[in-house]
Amino acid sequence: MIESQMVPVIVPGDEVAKEAVGKLAIDEIPSGLIARRLQTYIVQLPAKARELLLRNGHASFVRPDLRGDQFAVLHNMSFYHSEMGLLWEDAEYLALENSVI
């Protein structure tokens, strides 16, 4: 049996999620309160997949100085499809493709 650690990525697909992500920058709002608001916008994926998204600029941690690595937010919404979910497999390929001028 192969163990795979699953980690969260927030997919801010509507205004409610975008507003909650914006509140991550406010020091006075507890992380737990924001996490509960974002619960329905979280997608679990393998740790290596999240690292691929982070490394290629498709996601980032919001306010890591305040929140640590708790809130990884997807910035490139082209990786998320409502019927198929988060398609992270092409994260590295698309990063290379976008850098060619």
Side-chain angles (χ1 to χ4, degrees):
M1 175 161 56
I2 299 172
E3 286 191 33
S4 176
Q5 180 185 8
M6 301 296 278
V7 293
V9 171
I10 299 164
V11 179
D14 63 20
E15 290 306 313
V16 172
K18 290 175 186 172
E19 179 183 332
V21 167
K23 290 182 179 181
L24 290 169
I26 303 171
D27 295 1
E28 295 78 22
I29 300 177
S31 294
L33 183 67
I34 300 169
R36 281 190 294 281
R37 179 58 82 99
L38 290 170
Q39 190 171 10
T40 59
Y41 301 96
I42 291 176
V43 174
Q44 295 287 331
L45 65 157
K48 289 182 180 183
R50 182 173 79 174
E51 178 57 34
L52 188 64
L53 290 169
L54 292 167
R55 187 174 58 242
N56 289 290
H58 303 299
S60 67
F61 292 110
V62 176
R63 286 294 308 269
D65 59 312
L66 177 63
R67 312 285 180 187
D69 65 354
Q70 184 176 1
F71 296 99
V73 178
L74 182 69
H75 299 299
N76 187 340
M77 292 301 291
S78 67
F79 285 100
Y80 185 78
H81 301 278
S82 60
E83 293 179 13
M84 296 185 293
L86 185 58
L87 305 174
W88 53 268
E89 293 88 354
D90 291 332
E92 192 168 46
Y93 170 75
L94 290 176
L96 292 172
E97 181 180 85
N98 290 336
S99 66
V100 176
I101 298 177

